């Protein structure tokens, strides 16, 4: 049976004039209606929104827990398989003579800043501290919480959640998009990655639906990230003297971010990110990403010198070893509620941590994937997969070991005396700085962390706005009309603010888990589509047939 040529043309109708000129109205308008409806619902009926979202989230966690776990395992296995597959690994994301546009440092900086930068500032301290107190081993009675014997288990799960699985999910989306856009000449939009399965049917309603699902998942995934960042940004502003108006105080002395504090933070963050988005990926985003990386290395160097260096480094190397040994078991383990105290506790823990993270990475994947594809043209599949999956994971491990390890060591030794563990999740990094530094130095470092956090928030938000508009414009990477950039900047701010006011970070979390589910099915199809395309291109190469798209202007013979 003769090999059919690959699909190298996917017509997607876009408006030729008017407000939506250059955009696919079916995608752009539908996505705006869905996101707008969510915003209005969360703001107008906050109690109902929180209740309904919570109920839907409970059903999904109970019904699709196996699905989320096995899907993430599939992404990790597929990434390594593609990197090790000789015929696939040598292929470039583009023509054979294409070379990377960005240096390795800029590539990594943009990739890391857009992918996980914000979460690192919150969770590098908070997550090891939480698992240090409670994790599956403590639930099963194998270790005792908040003791030296529980440190290794705390890092197994911290590294599991922020390691290879997270970056594999991003890498698959970015690889599929880069492959079909730069080798096949298809639009840089989610539907293009499914052409080996659905062909030109993706030009119509099916393709529109896939892109809408990707846009909604992106909005919710980025909203989750911005939500954590906003909470920590407010804590940082409070630490550097912006006042108590940033918080609401309950009768029992507990505090939470005030509505005015949330609004102020979102105005600062989304105002700066919208201005950056208007400047494009090659200017504002690249510039901010390089600042992010420089400041990040400064903070890491600070903890390497002034933190619990020996404890942190030993935690890093032992933690990586333990994590690698745990992968075969943890990557396939699913705990379900069985009516026993231990079984129900394990199921609840996994739903609140592992399943939440898998949903977060999946919801974040269309955004990071499109962004990775945009900055990775010219790289080989092997270089791309290993660079996009292993290097950022190791960077996460270093952060967790040096920053989180210092916090654990300060609590174990009694130096912190509960100051870190008793602080809220968003405030633990600042609390740790107050423990290890004098008041003046703690203030100065807190200012630097607030600046770093702001640049990460801006980088993620402006990148998301550009990616959303790229999908809405049928993959057009060119300049977008200012009103659409302004709309999505405002929409992100309102989703974050509306859901936080409706039910705190938990409301964003539940909305994100729900939004990630349909896109998880799209991602599995992307992986299968990629396997099919690479396999058939390998056969075409053996028969001397072309495997890359040639522009009409250079196709004359």
């Amino acid at each position: 049976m003769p090999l059919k040529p690959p699909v190298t043309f996917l017509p997607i109708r876009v408006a030729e004039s008017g407000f939506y000129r250059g955009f696919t109205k079916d995608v752009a308008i539908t996505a705006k209606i869905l996101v707008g409806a969510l915003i209005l619902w969360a703001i107008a009926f906050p109690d109902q929104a929180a209740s309904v979202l919570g109920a839907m989230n409970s059903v999904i966690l109970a019904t699709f827990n196996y699905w989320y776990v096995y899907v993430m395992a599939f992404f990790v296995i597929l990434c390594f398989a593609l990197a090790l597959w000789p015929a696939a690994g040598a292929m470039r994301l583009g023509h054979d003579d294409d070379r990377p546009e960005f240096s390795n440092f800029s590539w990594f900086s943009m990739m890391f800043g857009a992918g996980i930068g914000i979460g690192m500032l919150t969770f590098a301290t908070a997550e090891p501290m939480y698992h240090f107190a409670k994790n599956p081993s403590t639930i099963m009675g194998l270790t005792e919480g908040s003791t030296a014997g529980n440190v290794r288990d705390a890092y197994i799960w911290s590294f599991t959640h922020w390691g290879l699985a997270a970056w594999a999910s991003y890498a698959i989306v970015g690889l599929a998009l880069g492959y079909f856009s730069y080798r096949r000449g298809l639009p840089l939009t989610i539907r293009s990655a499914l052409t080996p399965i659905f062909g030109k049917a993706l030009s119509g309603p099916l393709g529109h639906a896939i892109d809408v699902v990707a846009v909604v998942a992106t909005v919710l995934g980025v909203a989750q990230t911005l939500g954590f960042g906003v909470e920590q940004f407010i804590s940082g502003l409070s630490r550097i003297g912006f006042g108590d108006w940033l918080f609401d105080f309950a009768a029992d002395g507990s505090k939470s971010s005030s509505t005015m504090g949330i609004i102020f933070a979102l105005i600062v963050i989304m105002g700066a990110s919208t201005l950056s988005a208007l400047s494009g990926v090659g200017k504002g985003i690249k510039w901010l990403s390089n600042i992010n990386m420089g400041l990040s290395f400064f903070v890491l160097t600070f903890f390497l010198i002034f933190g619990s260096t020996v404890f942190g480094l030993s935690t890093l190397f032992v933690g990586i070893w333990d994590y690698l040994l745990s992968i075969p078991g943890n990557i396939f383990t699913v705990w379900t509620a069985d009516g026993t105290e231990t079984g129900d506790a394990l199921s609840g823990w996994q739903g609140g941590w592992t399943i939440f993270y898998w949903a977060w990475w999946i919801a974040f994947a269309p955004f990071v994937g499109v962004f990775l594809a945009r900055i990775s043209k010219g790289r080989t599949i092997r270089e791309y997969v290993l660079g996009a999956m292993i290097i950022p994971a190791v960077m996460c491990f270093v952060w967790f070991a040096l920053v989180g390890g210092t916090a654990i060591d300060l609590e174990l030794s009694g130096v912190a005396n509960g100051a870190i563990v008793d602080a809220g999740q968003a405030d633990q990094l600042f609390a740790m700085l107050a423990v290890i530094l004098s008041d003046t130095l703690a203030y100065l470092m807190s200012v630097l962390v607030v600046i770093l956090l702001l640049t990460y928030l801006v980088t993620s938000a402006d990148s998301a706005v550009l990616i959303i508009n790229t999908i809405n414009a049928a993959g057009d990477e060119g300049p977008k009309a200012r009103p659409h950039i302004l709309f999505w900047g405002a929409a992100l701010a309102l989703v974050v603010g509306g859901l936080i006011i409706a039910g705190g970070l938990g409301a964003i979390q539940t909305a994100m888990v729900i939004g990630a589910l349909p896109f998880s099915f799209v991602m599995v199809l992307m992986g299968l589509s990629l396997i099919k395309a690479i396999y058939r291109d390998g056969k075409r190469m053996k028969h001397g047939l072309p495997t890359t798209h040639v522009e009409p202007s250079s196709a004359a013979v």
Side-chain angles (χ1 to χ4, degrees):
M1 181 178 177
L3 286 170
K4 294 181 180 180
V7 175
T8 56
F9 178 63
L10 187 64
I12 304 174
R13 186 178 61 186
V14 297
E16 297 181 359
S17 61
F19 182 73
Y20 284 97
R21 182 175 179 271
F23 287 83
T24 304
K25 285 186 176 181
D26 300 276
V27 176
I29 294 176
T30 304
K32 286 181 178 180
I33 290 173
L34 291 174
V35 173
L38 175 62
I39 293 170
L40 291 174
W41 185 36
I43 294 176
F45 306 100
D47 293 337
Q48 183 192 57
S51 175
V52 172
L53 288 174
M56 293 176 66
N57 182 63
S58 298
V59 172
I60 289 175
L61 291 180
T63 308
F64 291 93
N65 52 348
Y66 281 95
W67 169 257
Y68 275 119
V69 169
Y70 293 153
V71 159
M72 293 299 280
F74 169 68
F75 296 149
V76 173
I77 294 169
L78 180 57
C79 278
F80 278 114
L82 292 175
L84 297 174
W85 186 0
M91 291 182 179
R92 289 192 178 275
L93 299 182
H95 294 81
D96 292 340
D97 57 351
D98 284 336
R99 292 298 181 269
E101 175 184 0
F102 300 102
S103 68
N104 287 337
F105 182 81
S106 290
W107 180 56
F108 174 61
S109 298
M110 287 189 284
M111 174 173 58
F112 186 79
I116 292 185
I118 299 170
M120 294 303 301
L121 288 174
T122 300
F123 287 99
T125 308
E127 182 156 357
M129 287 295 295
Y130 182 92
H131 298 323
F132 173 57
K134 181 180 180 181
N135 61 60
S137 291
T138 64
I139 293 173
M140 291 185 286
L142 303 177
T143 59
E144 183 180 351
S146 302
T147 65
N150 199 38
V151 172
R152 293 178 70 166
D153 285 278
Y155 273 93
I156 286 175
W157 290 106
S158 296
F159 287 0
T160 294
H161 295 152
W162 292 81
L164 299 178
W167 290 94
S169 64
Y170 299 160
I172 286 297
V173 176
L175 179 58
L177 292 173
Y179 191 91
F180 292 106
S181 295
Y182 302 134
R183 290 185 66 85
R184 299 282 175 84
L186 298 174
L188 187 64
T189 187
I190 302 298
R191 72 178 80 184
S192 295
L194 303 184
T195 49
I197 297 176
F198 298 109
K200 293 188 176 180
L202 293 167
S203 295
L206 175 61
H208 300 332
I210 289 169
D211 282 349
V212 168
V213 166
V215 170
V216 173
T218 298
V219 170
L220 295 176
V222 173
Q224 179 71 69
T225 302
L226 294 179
F228 285 125
V230 164
E231 293 280 355
Q232 191 170 29
F233 187 64
I234 291 172
S235 290
L237 292 178
S238 175
R239 287 275 180 174
I240 61 178
F242 271 67
D244 290 339
W245 61 273
L246 295 165
F247 296 103
D248 289 329
F249 294 88
D252 61 0
S254 62
K255 64 181 182 179
S256 59
S257 298
S258 67
T259 300
M260 284 302 299
I262 294 169
I263 293 173
F264 175 77
L266 287 171
I267 288 174
V268 172
I269 294 162
M270 297 312 300
S273 65
T274 301
L275 291 175
S276 179
L278 291 170
S279 70
V281 67
K283 296 179 182 178
I285 295 176
K286 178 182 177 181
W287 182 71
L288 281 171
S289 297
N290 287 335
I291 290 178
N292 289 346
M293 195 52 54
L295 289 176
S296 296
F297 277 120
F298 178 83
V299 172
L300 277 180
T301 302
F302 166 82
F303 278 101
L304 186 62
I305 297 173
F306 297 102
S308 302
T309 307
V310 175
F311 185 90
L313 290 177
S314 64
T315 297
L316 173 64
F317 295 113
V318 174
I320 291 176
W321 174 254
D322 288 342
Y323 163 63
L324 292 175
L325 292 179
S326 75
I327 288 176
N330 286 349
I331 202 170
F332 294 110
T333 296
V334 181
W335 286 298
T336 57
D338 57 7
T340 65
E341 181 179 353
T342 300
D344 291 352
L346 287 171
S347 176
W349 182 92
Q350 188 173 46
W353 284 97
T354 306
I355 304 300
F356 157 68
Y357 271 122
W358 291 174
W360 188 8
W361 304 150
I362 288 170
F364 217 46
F367 153 53
V368 181
V370 175
F371 190 74
L372 283 178
R374 289 187 66 174
I375 64 175
S376 301
K377 182 179 180 180
R379 297 186 183 273
T380 66
I381 289 178
R382 182 174 296 110
E383 176 188 12
Y384 167 86
V385 168
L386 297 180
M389 189 168 71
I390 294 178
I391 295 176
V394 171
M395 187 67 174
C396 290
F397 298 160
V398 172
W399 266 88
F400 274 73
L402 293 181
V403 181
T406 296
I408 290 175
D409 188 48
L410 290 171
E411 290 290 357
L412 274 176
S413 63
V415 174
N417 195 28
I420 301 172
V421 73
D422 292 339
Q425 176 177 281
D427 197 42
Q428 286 185 333
L429 176 58
F430 299 106
M432 178 168 54
L433 292 174
V435 170
I436 62 178
L437 296 174
S438 66
D439 290 345
T440 301
L441 288 178
Y443 179 87
L444 293 175
M445 277 299 297
S446 294
V447 170
L448 187 146
V449 171
V450 168
I451 294 172
L452 176 57
L453 180 62
L454 180 61
T455 59
Y456 270 135
L457 284 163
V458 171
T459 302
S460 293
D462 61 13
S463 300
V465 169
L466 289 175
I467 295 312
I468 289 169
N469 277 316
T470 297
I471 297 173
N472 286 336
D476 179 15
E477 300 178 68
K480 305 296 186 298
R482 288 175 180 264
H484 299 285
I485 291 177
L486 294 173
F487 172 86
W488 285 110
L492 277 173
L494 289 171
V495 168
V496 174
L499 289 175
I500 288 179
I501 292 169
L505 287 175
I508 302 181
Q509 176 178 333
T510 55
M512 181 271 300
V513 170
I514 295 165
L517 183 60
F519 191 69
S520 68
F521 292 97
V522 174
M523 285 180 64
V524 170
L525 291 176
M526 292 174 82
L528 298 175
S529 181
L530 194 58
I531 295 171
K532 182 177 180 180
I534 292 175
Y535 172 73
R536 291 200 170 181
D537 276 354
K539 296 185 70 173
R540 291 185 183 102
M541 292 171 69
K542 289 182 179 180
H543 289 81
L545 299 175
T547 61
T548 56
H549 172 68
V550 179
E551 295 294 335
S553 60
S554 60
V557 293

